[in-house]
């Protein structure tokens, strides 16, 4: 980039420089590019408690490479702490708050470049959305994943903890057992150790080209992550000099790569909300119909928790995201000419990145399945689509028919599950929990964990217009669109209706005639909003359907 930093010269910028003097900046610092360090550090989210150390490392990297680093904050919610109460209504909605506030800070202060330091769940896509909007040279470095816990000689993670509660409710585990899980499943700082939403999005940040190698997999407590942060600070200055910007990197081909690796890794279903929303900010319409096309040609090669018994540290040792990408490139299913924050193409980045552990990353000729880890389903209950993490579904539940057990809130469903009122073969329907109806589209980890903990994971399905945690496993089908709050067909399902699920065929239907559904629709009345004040009410008035990424309408 040939031009000088925005504030460094000219009488007309003297008022701004006077305020930089108030910050203690020297003239030498004013003459260098001003690099915003977006810190998601806080003391309530375990995945963020180490970010203050990474901020200092990034600042050092920026300074070493000739920039002036300036820190400003971004918020983050811990989905695990927010789970199962009103707090979960505030998780997804923070994605837009993060994007909006970061856009405001970055553009109001005219930063020349940015380094984003996210880690958990909505914090990562929110900052990727902001990066696309602001579109100045930007590098991401995440806080990193937690190490797995160890309970009774086995590696464990947060999903094991939620399922332990279900096992206790079913009389299959003692209180002492639950307390042992409580004290051991989350042994370090970092984003929870399975392929949950945070780790999914941090891995996909690498695939999109916005993070350096290891962004998604180097554990939070490894010193290697501090080195990664320094390199991120140095690399943003290289991007500044070459004028490489987020929209040069996050192209349509890059998003197709992200969907491809998503299928191979078996990422959280929440990626099906976030990738379209990020693409939208880049001016790209990422239609989820393409997901099944990509799945059909992309084998699922990883079964990290909750789908299996390997964890992020294992993926890191096996070669990380680049090793997976290299195998996919050799199979011809990856676009390798995309630009990345390294200043090099995908092909250059992944060259020589071999799979070091075929038990963690299955070879393409021996995958867990020949199709990808996520499936998009359609049918008369979800004409605009719904989503399931296919790789975490028991084989016997890939095709299932059963009677609907209908609940109009998560709380009612949990009470029935824990009360022993759900039987093998049932299909639990939880509705009025979508983006608008919730509002906020809560995650349903509590009910799915209760089902799994009670031993019903291979015989009970759950469908919802809400969403699921990346820690959810089983025949859990979310993002049903249109949602119940706008009169979607899920609002018309009645207790005892037979629901037919065929994941290999990508279909889901309630076995009720079109005439009967039309009669029910004629009688349907919208519900009164659950929340009528504050940010959630404003969010509910603007949010669109899950199949569009739950983006907000403009005006």
């Amino acid at each position: 980039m040939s031009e000088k930093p925005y504030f460094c010269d000219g009488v007309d910028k003297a008022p701004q420089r006077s305020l930089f003097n108030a910050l203690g900046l020297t003239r030498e610092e004013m003459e260098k590019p001003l690099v915003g360090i977006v810190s998601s550090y806080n003391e309530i989210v375990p995945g963020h408690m180490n970010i203050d150390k990474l901020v200092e490392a990034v600042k050092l990297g920026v300074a070493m490479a000739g920039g002036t680093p300036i820190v400003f904050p971004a918020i983050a919610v811990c989905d695990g702490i927010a789970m199962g109460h009103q707090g979960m209504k505030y998780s997804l909605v923070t994605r837009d708050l993060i994007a909006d506030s970061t856009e405001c800070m970055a553009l109001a202060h005219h930063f020349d470049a940015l380094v984003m330091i996210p880690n958990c769940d909505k914090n990562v896509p929110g900052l990727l959305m902001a990066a696309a909007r602001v579109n100045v040279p930007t590098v991401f470095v995440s806080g990193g994943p937690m190490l797995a816990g160890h309970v009774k000689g086995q590696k464990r993670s947060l999903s094991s903890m939620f399922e332990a509660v279900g096992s206790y409710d079913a009389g299959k585990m003692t209180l002492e057992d639950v307390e042992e899980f409580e004290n051991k499943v989350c042994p370090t700082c970092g984003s929870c150790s399975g392929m949950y939403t945070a780790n999914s999005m941090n891995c996909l940040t690498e695939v999109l080209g916005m993070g350096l190698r290891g962004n998604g997999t180097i554990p939070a407590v490894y010193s290697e992550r501090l080195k990664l942060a320094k390199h991120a600070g140095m690399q943003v200055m290289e991007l500044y000099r070459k004028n490489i910007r987020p929209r040069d990197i996050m192209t349509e081909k890059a998003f197709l790569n992200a969907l491809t690796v998503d299928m191979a890794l078996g990422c959280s279903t929440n990626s099906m909300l976030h990738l379209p929303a990020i693409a939208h900010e880049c001016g790209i319409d990422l239609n989820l119909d393409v997901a099944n096309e990509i799945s059909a040609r992309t084998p699922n090669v990883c079964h990290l928790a909750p789908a299996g018994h390997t964890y992020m540290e294992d993926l890191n040792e096996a070669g990380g995201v680049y090793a997976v990408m290299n195998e996919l490139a050799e199979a011809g299913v990856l676009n390798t000419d995309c630009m990345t924050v390294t200043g090099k193409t995908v092909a250059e980045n992944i060259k020589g990145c071999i799979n070091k552990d075929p038990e963690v990353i299955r070879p393409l000729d021996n995958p867990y399945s020949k199709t990808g880890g996520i499936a998009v389903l359609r049918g008369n209950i979800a004409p605009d689509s719904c989503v399931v993490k296919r790789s975490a579904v028991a084989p016997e539940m890939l095709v299932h028919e059963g009677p609907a057990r209908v609940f109009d809130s998560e709380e009612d469903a949990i009470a029935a599950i824990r009360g022993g009122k759900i039987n093998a073969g049932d299909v639990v329907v939880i509705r009025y929990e979508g983006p608008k109806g919730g509002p906020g589209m809560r995650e349903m980890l509590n009910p799915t964990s209760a089902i799994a903990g009670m031993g019903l994971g291979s015989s009970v399905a759950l469908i919802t217009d809400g969403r699921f945690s990346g820690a959810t496993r089983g025949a859990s089908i979310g993002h049903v669109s249109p949602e119940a709050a706008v009169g979607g067909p899920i609002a018309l399902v009645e207790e005892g209706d037979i629901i037919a699920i065929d994941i290999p065929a990508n279909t889901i239907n309630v076995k009720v005639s079109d005439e009967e559904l039309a009669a029910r629709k004629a009688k349907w009345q919208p519900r009164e909003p659950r929340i009528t004040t504050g940010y959630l009410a404003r969010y509910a008035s603007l949010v669109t359907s899950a199949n569009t990424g739950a983006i907000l309408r403009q005006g």
Side-chain angles (χ1 to χ4, degrees):
M1 198 178 228
S2 57
E3 70 254 28
K4 292 182 179 181
Y6 183 75
F7 292 114
C8 82
D9 231 342
V11 173
D12 60 325
K13 303 299 188 300
Q16 287 91 343
R17 291 195 297 273
S18 72
L19 292 166
F20 288 157
N21 283 325
L23 290 171
L25 294 184
T26 65
R27 181 69 193 197
E28 290 83 357
E29 287 173 299
M30 295 181 209
E31 291 175 350
K32 295 175 181 178
L34 199 64
V35 180
I37 314 298
V38 187
S39 169
S40 302
Y41 168 76
N42 63 51
E43 294 183 338
I44 188 62
V45 183
H48 290 236
M49 62 178 284
N50 64 318
I51 283 178
D52 57 338
K53 309 296 189 300
L54 297 178
V55 167
E56 293 305 313
V58 169
K59 287 173 66 178
L60 183 57
V62 169
M64 286 193 296
T68 296
I70 302 287
V71 179
F72 66 87
I75 64 168
V77 163
C78 176
D79 279 22
I81 295 173
M83 195 72 64
H85 59 91
Q86 186 177 4
M88 181 44 68
K89 294 179 183 289
Y90 286 91
S91 173
L92 178 60
V93 307
T94 64
R95 186 186 70 181
D96 295 276
L97 277 174
I98 291 162
D100 292 348
S101 58
T102 303
E103 172 196 354
C104 290
M105 287 293 290
L107 294 180
H109 302 102
H110 209 294
F111 285 101
D112 298 298
L114 297 166
V115 179
M116 308 282 201
I117 314 179
N119 210 26
C120 289
D121 290 71
K122 314 314 164 294
N123 183 243
V124 184
L127 289 180
L128 284 165
M129 290 164 68
R133 286 185 202 171
V134 177
N135 203 36
V136 298
T138 302
V139 176
F140 276 66
V141 56
S142 78
M146 185 184 291
L147 294 178
H150 292 263
V151 183
K152 300 186 188 304
Q154 291 185 311
K155 284 186 176 182
R156 298 288 190 174
S157 63
L158 184 64
S159 55
S160 308
M161 180 72 257
F162 277 91
E163 290 178 15
V165 175
S167 295
Y168 175 77
D169 288 339
K172 297 181 178 182
M173 190 175 284
T174 67
L175 184 59
E176 290 74 19
D177 289 332
V178 174
E179 289 175 348
E180 184 176 3
F181 272 81
E182 180 181 335
N183 290 320
K184 293 181 178 179
V185 295
C186 297
T188 72
C189 63
S191 48
C192 297
S193 56
M195 188 54 80
Y196 309 146
T197 305
N199 293 326
S200 295
M201 294 309 302
N202 283 323
C203 287
L204 296 182
T205 297
E206 277 189 66
V207 183
L208 283 170
M210 292 298 294
L212 300 176
R213 181 182 181 182
N215 178 71
T217 60
I218 297 171
V221 294
Y222 283 13
S223 297
E224 187 68 23
R225 185 152 290 275
L226 293 173
K227 293 162 70 175
L228 182 73
K230 291 174 186 174
H231 283 129
M234 289 186 271
Q235 189 58 32
V236 80
M237 295 307 301
E238 187 67 17
L239 294 183
Y240 171 78
R241 294 182 186 103
K242 293 180 177 179
N243 195 24
I244 298 174
R245 298 169 181 252
R247 288 184 213 162
D248 300 325
I249 295 169
M250 291 192 287
T251 62
E252 184 174 6
K253 284 185 176 181
F255 282 102
L256 295 179
N257 280 350
L259 282 172
T260 300
V261 178
D262 190 334
M263 296 298 173
L265 287 175
C267 291
S268 164
T269 51
N270 282 312
S271 63
M272 295 292 103
L273 277 177
H274 301 322
L275 288 175
I278 300 161
H280 175 76
E281 298 293 347
C282 296
I284 297 166
D285 180 16
L286 191 64
N287 190 321
L288 286 186
D289 285 339
V290 76
N292 286 337
E293 297 172 24
I294 291 173
S295 178
R297 61 176 181 263
T298 307
N300 175 229
V301 297
C302 292
H303 263 194
L304 280 76
H309 301 290
T310 53
Y311 295 82
M312 294 306 297
E313 63 207 66
D314 302 313
L315 179 58
N316 188 61
E317 294 302 318
V321 175
Y322 276 19
V324 176
M325 293 176 72
N326 193 34
E327 295 216 357
L328 294 172
E330 289 178 2
V333 296
L334 208 66
N335 300 299
T336 59
D337 57 349
C338 298
M339 178 53 60
T340 72
V341 292
T342 66
K344 300 176 182 178
T345 64
V346 168
E348 292 173 295
N349 287 344
I350 64 177
K351 184 178 180 180
C353 296
I354 61 170
N355 178 4
K356 300 176 183 178
D357 190 340
E359 296 299 315
V360 177
I361 305 171
R362 288 261 187 107
L364 294 184
D365 59 3
N366 182 35
Y368 285 101
S369 69
K370 292 181 180 179
T371 55
I374 290 179
V376 176
L377 315 183
R378 289 180 186 271
N380 66 356
I381 198 170
D384 289 344
S385 79
C386 55
V387 179
V388 62
K389 188 171 182 175
R390 175 179 178 154
S391 59
V393 178
E396 58 268 35
M397 289 297 290
L398 290 171
V399 178
H400 179 76
E401 280 194 19
R405 305 298 308 281
V406 182
F407 304 94
D408 287 351
S409 72
E410 178 188 7
E411 289 82 2
D412 289 348
I414 291 171
I417 295 165
R418 291 180 174 166
K421 297 179 181 178
I422 302 301
N423 304 307
D426 286 347
V427 178
V428 176
V429 178
I430 306 178
R431 61 193 183 189
Y432 294 99
E433 291 286 6
K436 186 179 294 291
M441 202 180 182
R442 288 193 287 182
E443 289 184 346
M444 301 292 162
L445 181 56
N446 274 352
T448 58
S449 297
I451 288 169
M454 290 182 167
L456 296 171
S458 59
S459 61
V460 169
L462 190 153
I463 68 172
T464 181
D465 53 8
R467 60 194 178 90
F468 295 112
S469 164
T472 288
R473 62 187 176 98
S476 303
I477 299 165
H479 308 192
V480 170
S481 302
E483 62 175 292
V486 297
I490 191 173
L492 311 178
V493 177
E494 295 182 357
E495 185 83 6
D497 286 349
I498 300 300
I499 294 177
I501 300 164
D502 190 334
I503 294 173
N506 301 313
T507 62
I508 182 169
N509 289 286
V510 57
K511 299 182 84 171
V512 173
S513 69
D514 292 345
E515 293 77 14
E516 173 62 20
L517 285 177
R520 293 180 187 180
K521 176 70 173 178
K523 297 176 183 177
W524 178 83
Q525 294 292 325
R527 301 292 179 92
E528 288 295 320
R530 285 172 169 157
I531 294 176
T532 57
T533 60
Y535 180 63
L536 284 179
R538 192 179 330 131
Y539 179 87
S541 71
L542 295 174
V543 71
T544 61
S545 178
N547 68 297
T548 65
I551 60 174
L552 301 185
R553 290 196 316 275
Q554 296 298 313

